[in-house]
């Protein structure tokens, strides 16, 4: 399936692409557009103004996608808190990891194209997911 988002991706779009690829559509094909009118007809748009899978009710797009696809994994919701704070910085959640994640993604966006950002950020989100999965299982931070 084809998925489309705005070019020059940052934290929410990179995290959404990871979420889509790992938990919704393992054959996902991502398209980056500079104008919403350029979204291919056969693509599902995300993190774009006015689309179903965008910001709604104070949620970032990552949270919207979790709700839309009814993904209830508590580890994904922990990542949503971090992505939310890195993207919106509205202090809804206590996510001290957010500024660091934001800085890493901003730096990648300065040095890489969108496809390369997805290549590099995918393992980073995999690592965050595994860290918080183990923390959830153990009831404490993993060593």
């Amino acid at each position: 399936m084809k998925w489309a988002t705005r070019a020059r991706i940052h934290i929410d779009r990179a995290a959404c692409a990871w979420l889509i690829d790992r938990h919704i559509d393992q054959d996902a094909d991502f398209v980056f557009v500079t104008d919403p009118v350029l979204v291919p007809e056969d693509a599902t748009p995300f993190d774009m103004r006015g689309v179903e899978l965008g910001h709604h009710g104070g949620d970032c797009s990552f949270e919207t996608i979790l709700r839309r696809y009814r993904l209830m994994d508590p580890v994904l919701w922990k990542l949503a808190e971090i992505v939310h704070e890195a993207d919106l910085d509205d202090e809804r959640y206590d996510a001290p990891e957010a500024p660091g994640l934001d800085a890493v993604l901003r730096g990648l966006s300065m040095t890489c194209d969108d496809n390369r950002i997805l290549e590099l950020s995918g393992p980073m989100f995999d690592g965050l997911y595994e860290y918080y999965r183990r923390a959830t299982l153990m009831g404490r931070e993993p060593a």
Side-chain angles (χ1 to χ4, degrees):
M1 187 168 161
K2 195 175 288 183
W3 300 80
T5 192
R6 293 173 290 134
R8 306 287 302 151
I9 65 172
H10 188 244
I11 181 65
D12 201 13
R13 282 169 274 158
C16 288
W18 173 84
L19 178 64
I20 291 164
D21 186 59
R22 299 300 197 276
H23 297 275
I24 297 170
D25 177 7
Q26 293 182 347
D27 295 320
D29 179 24
F30 295 100
V31 176
F32 307 100
V33 298
T34 55
D35 190 311
V37 299
L38 301 175
V39 172
E41 285 188 28
D42 61 342
T44 301
F46 66 96
D47 201 36
M48 302 177 82
R49 189 178 305 271
V51 302
E52 179 185 5
L53 301 178
H55 288 214
H56 294 284
D59 287 348
C60 66
S61 298
F62 191 92
E63 294 166 297
T64 298
I65 292 172
L66 287 176
R67 291 185 202 290
R68 168 63 179 79
Y69 288 92
R70 300 175 191 212
L71 298 172
M72 298 301 154
D73 179 344
V75 179
L76 290 176
W77 281 97
K78 174 60 182 167
L79 295 186
E81 292 178 8
I82 298 167
V83 172
H84 178 104
E85 286 305 319
D87 190 41
L88 301 175
D89 192 21
D90 62 4
E91 300 182 2
R92 179 189 285 185
Y93 303 107
D94 178 25
E97 309 88 341
L101 186 61
D102 181 50
V104 169
L105 264 295
R106 284 185 188 278
L108 288 175
S109 72
M110 294 172 189
T111 59
C112 303
D113 67 25
D114 292 328
N115 286 309
R116 183 73 176 138
I117 291 171
L118 293 187
E119 288 174 21
L120 295 172
S121 63
M124 184 180 65
F125 288 113
D126 288 339
L128 276 172
Y129 180 87
E130 183 59 23
Y131 179 86
Y132 286 107
R133 187 186 74 77
R134 290 182 189 198
T136 299
L137 290 173
M138 297 179 349
R140 61 177 171 79
E141 291 185 10

mmCIF file of all heavy atoms in Angstrom, residues 13-41:
data_model
loop_
_atom_site.group_PDB
_atom_site.id
_atom_site.type_symbol
_atom_site.label_atom_id
_atom_site.label_comp_id
_atom_site.label_asym_id
_atom_site.label_seq_id
_atom_site.Cartn_x
_atom_site.Cartn_y
_atom_site.Cartn_z
ATOM 1 N N ARG A 13 6.328 12.665 11.434
ATOM 2 C CA ARG A 13 6.234 11.910 10.179
ATOM 3 C C ARG A 13 7.161 10.708 10.170
ATOM 4 O O ARG A 13 6.789 9.626 9.701
ATOM 5 C CB ARG A 13 6.507 12.825 8.984
ATOM 6 C CG ARG A 13 5.300 13.696 8.650
ATOM 7 C CD ARG A 13 5.618 14.782 7.663
ATOM 8 N NE ARG A 13 6.139 15.918 8.433
ATOM 9 C CZ ARG A 13 6.896 16.877 7.941
ATOM 10 N NH1 ARG A 13 7.243 16.853 6.669
ATOM 11 N NH2 ARG A 13 7.302 17.853 8.710
ATOM 12 N N ALA A 14 8.373 10.851 10.725
ATOM 13 C CA ALA A 14 9.289 9.704 10.798
ATOM 14 C C ALA A 14 8.721 8.627 11.715
ATOM 15 O O ALA A 14 8.758 7.431 11.399
ATOM 16 C CB ALA A 14 10.661 10.154 11.291
ATOM 17 N N ALA A 15 8.184 9.044 12.864
ATOM 18 C CA ALA A 15 7.605 8.082 13.801
ATOM 19 C C ALA A 15 6.369 7.408 13.198
ATOM 20 O O ALA A 15 6.170 6.202 13.368
ATOM 21 C CB ALA A 15 7.247 8.780 15.117
ATOM 22 N N CYS A 16 5.531 8.176 12.500
ATOM 23 C CA CYS A 16 4.347 7.597 11.857
ATOM 24 C C CYS A 16 4.760 6.575 10.799
ATOM 25 O O CYS A 16 4.148 5.498 10.706
ATOM 26 C CB CYS A 16 3.504 8.688 11.206
ATOM 27 S SG CYS A 16 2.610 9.734 12.366
ATOM 28 N N ALA A 17 5.767 6.900 10.017
ATOM 29 C CA ALA A 17 6.219 5.952 8.989
ATOM 30 C C ALA A 17 6.708 4.662 9.644
ATOM 31 O O ALA A 17 6.411 3.566 9.171
ATOM 32 C CB ALA A 17 7.318 6.583 8.136
ATOM 33 N N TRP A 18 7.447 4.784 10.736
ATOM 34 C CA TRP A 18 7.906 3.593 11.474
ATOM 35 C C TRP A 18 6.696 2.805 11.969
ATOM 36 O O TRP A 18 6.642 1.578 11.816
ATOM 37 C CB TRP A 18 8.792 4.016 12.649
ATOM 38 C CG TRP A 18 9.147 2.874 13.542
ATOM 39 C CD1 TRP A 18 10.166 1.977 13.380
ATOM 40 C CD2 TRP A 18 8.465 2.481 14.750
ATOM 41 N NE1 TRP A 18 10.151 1.052 14.405
ATOM 42 C CE2 TRP A 18 9.120 1.342 15.258
ATOM 43 C CE3 TRP A 18 7.363 2.995 15.434
ATOM 44 C CZ2 TRP A 18 8.712 0.703 16.431
ATOM 45 C CZ3 TRP A 18 6.949 2.357 16.604
ATOM 46 C CH2 TRP A 18 7.624 1.232 17.082
ATOM 47 N N LEU A 19 5.727 3.495 12.568
ATOM 48 C CA LEU A 19 4.526 2.838 13.099
ATOM 49 C C LEU A 19 3.775 2.104 11.987
ATOM 50 O O LEU A 19 3.372 0.944 12.149
ATOM 51 C CB LEU A 19 3.617 3.878 13.756
ATOM 52 C CG LEU A 19 2.293 3.387 14.320
ATOM 53 C CD1 LEU A 19 2.517 2.409 15.468
ATOM 54 C CD2 LEU A 19 1.453 4.580 14.783
ATOM 55 N N ILE A 20 3.602 2.769 10.866
ATOM 56 C CA ILE A 20 2.899 2.158 9.737
ATOM 57 C C ILE A 20 3.663 0.930 9.250
ATOM 58 O O ILE A 20 3.089 -0.144 9.067
ATOM 59 C CB ILE A 20 2.713 3.192 8.603
ATOM 60 C CG1 ILE A 20 1.715 4.269 9.032
ATOM 61 C CG2 ILE A 20 2.290 2.513 7.301
ATOM 62 C CD1 ILE A 20 1.731 5.521 8.186
ATOM 63 N N ASP A 21 4.962 1.081 9.066
ATOM 64 C CA ASP A 21 5.793 -0.002 8.532
ATOM 65 C C ASP A 21 5.872 -1.199 9.471
ATOM 66 O O ASP A 21 5.832 -2.346 9.041
ATOM 67 C CB ASP A 21 7.190 0.535 8.243
ATOM 68 C CG ASP A 21 8.065 -0.491 7.561
ATOM 69 O OD1 ASP A 21 7.686 -0.960 6.465
ATOM 70 O OD2 ASP A 21 9.113 -0.838 8.123
ATOM 71 N N ARG A 22 5.992 -0.958 10.768
ATOM 72 C CA ARG A 22 6.184 -2.059 11.726
ATOM 73 C C ARG A 22 4.885 -2.651 12.255
ATOM 74 O O ARG A 22 4.865 -3.812 12.639
ATOM 75 C CB ARG A 22 7.004 -1.584 12.930
ATOM 76 C CG ARG A 22 8.396 -1.091 12.629
ATOM 77 C CD ARG A 22 9.292 -2.121 11.989
ATOM 78 N NE ARG A 22 10.700 -1.772 12.071
ATOM 79 C CZ ARG A 22 11.339 -0.977 11.221
ATOM 80 N NH1 ARG A 22 10.684 -0.448 10.209
ATOM 81 N NH2 ARG A 22 12.629 -0.707 11.375
ATOM 82 N N HIS A 23 3.796 -1.867 12.279
ATOM 83 C CA HIS A 23 2.592 -2.336 12.962
ATOM 84 C C HIS A 23 1.312 -2.305 12.138
ATOM 85 O O HIS A 23 0.280 -2.782 12.597
ATOM 86 C CB HIS A 23 2.376 -1.528 14.255
ATOM 87 C CG HIS A 23 3.499 -1.709 15.234
ATOM 88 N ND1 HIS A 23 3.540 -2.757 16.111
ATOM 89 C CD2 HIS A 23 4.641 -1.009 15.421
ATOM 90 C CE1 HIS A 23 4.664 -2.687 16.840
ATOM 91 N NE2 HIS A 23 5.343 -1.629 16.433
ATOM 92 N N ILE A 24 1.340 -1.755 10.941
ATOM 93 C CA ILE A 24 0.113 -1.659 10.144
ATOM 94 C C ILE A 24 0.286 -2.282 8.761
ATOM 95 O O ILE A 24 -0.532 -3.070 8.326
ATOM 96 C CB ILE A 24 -0.342 -0.186 10.016
ATOM 97 C CG1 ILE A 24 -0.686 0.366 11.410
ATOM 98 C CG2 ILE A 24 -1.532 -0.064 9.069
ATOM 99 C CD1 ILE A 24 -0.917 1.853 11.455
ATOM 100 N N ASP A 25 1.348 -1.924 8.060
ATOM 101 C CA ASP A 25 1.527 -2.346 6.665
ATOM 102 C C ASP A 25 3.011 -2.634 6.417
ATOM 103 O O ASP A 25 3.783 -1.716 6.134
ATOM 104 C CB ASP A 25 1.026 -1.233 5.747
ATOM 105 C CG ASP A 25 1.218 -1.526 4.283
ATOM 106 O OD1 ASP A 25 1.627 -2.661 3.929
ATOM 107 O OD2 ASP A 25 0.961 -0.622 3.477
ATOM 108 N N GLN A 26 3.377 -3.889 6.509
ATOM 109 C CA GLN A 26 4.800 -4.245 6.353
ATOM 110 C C GLN A 26 5.283 -4.120 4.911
ATOM 111 O O GLN A 26 6.473 -4.255 4.652
ATOM 112 C CB GLN A 26 5.048 -5.636 6.913
ATOM 113 C CG GLN A 26 4.850 -5.657 8.416
ATOM 114 C CD GLN A 26 5.127 -7.010 9.040
ATOM 115 O OE1 GLN A 26 5.251 -8.018 8.367
ATOM 116 N NE2 GLN A 26 5.229 -7.012 10.351
ATOM 117 N N ASP A 27 4.375 -3.880 3.978
ATOM 118 C CA ASP A 27 4.763 -3.625 2.584
ATOM 119 C C ASP A 27 4.573 -2.152 2.234
ATOM 120 O O ASP A 27 4.413 -1.809 1.070
ATOM 121 C CB ASP A 27 3.919 -4.492 1.640
ATOM 122 C CG ASP A 27 4.197 -5.970 1.831
ATOM 123 O OD1 ASP A 27 5.373 -6.331 2.022
ATOM 124 O OD2 ASP A 27 3.235 -6.759 1.821
ATOM 125 N N ALA A 28 4.590 -1.302 3.225
ATOM 126 C CA ALA A 28 4.342 0.128 3.010
ATOM 127 C C ALA A 28 5.363 0.728 2.038
ATOM 128 O O ALA A 28 6.547 0.424 2.096
ATOM 129 C CB ALA A 28 4.393 0.873 4.342
ATOM 130 N N ASP A 29 4.851 1.579 1.182
ATOM 131 C CA ASP A 29 5.673 2.323 0.228
ATOM 132 C C ASP A 29 5.391 3.801 0.508
ATOM 133 O O ASP A 29 4.245 4.237 0.406
ATOM 134 C CB ASP A 29 5.268 1.941 -1.201
ATOM 135 C CG ASP A 29 6.051 2.696 -2.245
ATOM 136 O OD1 ASP A 29 7.179 3.155 -1.958
ATOM 137 O OD2 ASP A 29 5.532 2.827 -3.374
ATOM 138 N N PHE A 30 6.414 4.551 0.882
ATOM 139 C CA PHE A 30 6.216 5.943 1.282
ATOM 140 C C PHE A 30 6.555 6.910 0.153
ATOM 141 O O PHE A 30 7.555 6.753 -0.535
ATOM 142 C CB PHE A 30 7.053 6.262 2.527
ATOM 143 C CG PHE A 30 6.604 5.480 3.724
ATOM 144 C CD1 PHE A 30 7.288 4.341 4.118
ATOM 145 C CD2 PHE A 30 5.476 5.850 4.438
ATOM 146 C CE1 PHE A 30 6.868 3.590 5.209
ATOM 147 C CE2 PHE A 30 5.029 5.111 5.521
ATOM 148 C CZ PHE A 30 5.733 3.977 5.909
ATOM 149 N N VAL A 31 5.682 7.909 0.014
ATOM 150 C CA VAL A 31 5.853 8.962 -0.981
ATOM 151 C C VAL A 31 5.895 10.283 -0.229
ATOM 152 O O VAL A 31 5.092 10.506 0.688
ATOM 153 C CB VAL A 31 4.664 8.967 -1.978
ATOM 154 C CG1 VAL A 31 4.783 10.121 -2.948
ATOM 155 C CG2 VAL A 31 4.557 7.638 -2.694
ATOM 156 N N PHE A 32 6.826 11.150 -0.611
ATOM 157 C CA PHE A 32 6.959 12.452 0.046
ATOM 158 C C PHE A 32 6.622 13.528 -0.972
ATOM 159 O O PHE A 32 7.187 13.548 -2.066
ATOM 160 C CB PHE A 32 8.392 12.627 0.569
ATOM 161 C CG PHE A 32 8.820 11.465 1.434
ATOM 162 C CD1 PHE A 32 9.626 10.459 0.915
ATOM 163 C CD2 PHE A 32 8.383 11.362 2.740
ATOM 164 C CE1 PHE A 32 10.000 9.371 1.695
ATOM 165 C CE2 PHE A 32 8.754 10.278 3.528
ATOM 166 C CZ PHE A 32 9.563 9.279 3.006
ATOM 167 N N VAL A 33 5.684 14.391 -0.603
ATOM 168 C CA VAL A 33 5.225 15.405 -1.551
ATOM 169 C C VAL A 33 5.447 16.810 -0.985
ATOM 170 O O VAL A 33 5.432 17.011 0.229
ATOM 171 C CB VAL A 33 3.726 15.213 -1.894
ATOM 172 C CG1 VAL A 33 3.505 13.863 -2.572
ATOM 173 C CG2 VAL A 33 2.844 15.344 -0.667
ATOM 174 N N THR A 34 5.624 17.744 -1.867
ATOM 175 C CA THR A 34 5.833 19.130 -1.454
ATOM 176 C C THR A 34 4.535 19.913 -1.395
ATOM 177 O O THR A 34 4.505 21.027 -0.869
ATOM 178 C CB THR A 34 6.804 19.840 -2.417
ATOM 179 O OG1 THR A 34 6.286 19.714 -3.741
ATOM 180 C CG2 THR A 34 8.202 19.230 -2.327
ATOM 181 N N ASP A 35 3.463 19.334 -1.951
ATOM 182 C CA ASP A 35 2.151 19.990 -1.962
ATOM 183 C C ASP A 35 1.082 18.912 -1.838
ATOM 184 O O ASP A 35 1.169 17.879 -2.519
ATOM 185 C CB ASP A 35 1.975 20.748 -3.288
ATOM 186 C CG ASP A 35 0.753 21.636 -3.282
ATOM 187 O OD1 ASP A 35 -0.340 21.150 -2.906
ATOM 188 O OD2 ASP A 35 0.870 22.808 -3.655
ATOM 189 N N PRO A 36 0.087 19.112 -0.968
ATOM 190 C CA PRO A 36 -0.957 18.087 -0.796
ATOM 191 C C PRO A 36 -1.657 17.677 -2.090
ATOM 192 O O PRO A 36 -2.134 16.553 -2.199
ATOM 193 C CB PRO A 36 -1.941 18.748 0.175
ATOM 194 C CG PRO A 36 -1.127 19.752 0.915
ATOM 195 C CD PRO A 36 -0.086 20.233 -0.057
ATOM 196 N N VAL A 37 -1.715 18.582 -3.068
ATOM 197 C CA VAL A 37 -2.385 18.221 -4.330
ATOM 198 C C VAL A 37 -1.587 17.156 -5.096
ATOM 199 O O VAL A 37 -2.102 16.553 -6.032
ATOM 200 C CB VAL A 37 -2.634 19.453 -5.231
ATOM 201 C CG1 VAL A 37 -3.527 20.455 -4.514
ATOM 202 C CG2 VAL A 37 -1.341 20.087 -5.701
ATOM 203 N N LEU A 38 -0.346 16.923 -4.688
ATOM 204 C CA LEU A 38 0.505 15.948 -5.361
ATOM 205 C C LEU A 38 0.404 14.542 -4.767
ATOM 206 O O LEU A 38 1.091 13.628 -5.213
ATOM 207 C CB LEU A 38 1.965 16.417 -5.323
ATOM 208 C CG LEU A 38 2.239 17.766 -5.984
ATOM 209 C CD1 LEU A 38 3.689 18.186 -5.770
ATOM 210 C CD2 LEU A 38 1.912 17.703 -7.468
ATOM 211 N N VAL A 39 -0.446 14.368 -3.745
ATOM 212 C CA VAL A 39 -0.629 13.034 -3.157
ATOM 213 C C VAL A 39 -1.251 12.118 -4.213
ATOM 214 O O VAL A 39 -2.309 12.439 -4.759
ATOM 215 C CB VAL A 39 -1.527 13.088 -1.895
ATOM 216 C CG1 VAL A 39 -1.870 11.681 -1.414
ATOM 217 C CG2 VAL A 39 -0.839 13.889 -0.791
ATOM 218 N N PRO A 40 -0.613 11.000 -4.513
ATOM 219 C CA PRO A 40 -1.194 10.083 -5.511
ATOM 220 C C PRO A 40 -2.573 9.598 -5.067
ATOM 221 O O PRO A 40 -2.831 9.426 -3.872
ATOM 222 C CB PRO A 40 -0.195 8.912 -5.524
ATOM 223 C CG PRO A 40 1.084 9.480 -4.984
ATOM 224 C CD PRO A 40 0.686 10.536 -4.001
ATOM 225 N N GLU A 41 -3.454 9.361 -6.022
ATOM 226 C CA GLU A 41 -4.817 8.932 -5.704
ATOM 227 C C GLU A 41 -4.864 7.621 -4.948
ATOM 228 O O GLU A 41 -5.772 7.389 -4.159
ATOM 229 C CB GLU A 41 -5.639 8.804 -6.996
ATOM 230 C CG GLU A 41 -6.047 10.128 -7.576
ATOM 231 C CD GLU A 41 -7.009 9.960 -8.742
ATOM 232 O OE1 GLU A 41 -7.753 8.962 -8.770
ATOM 233 O OE2 GLU A 41 -6.999 10.843 -9.619
#
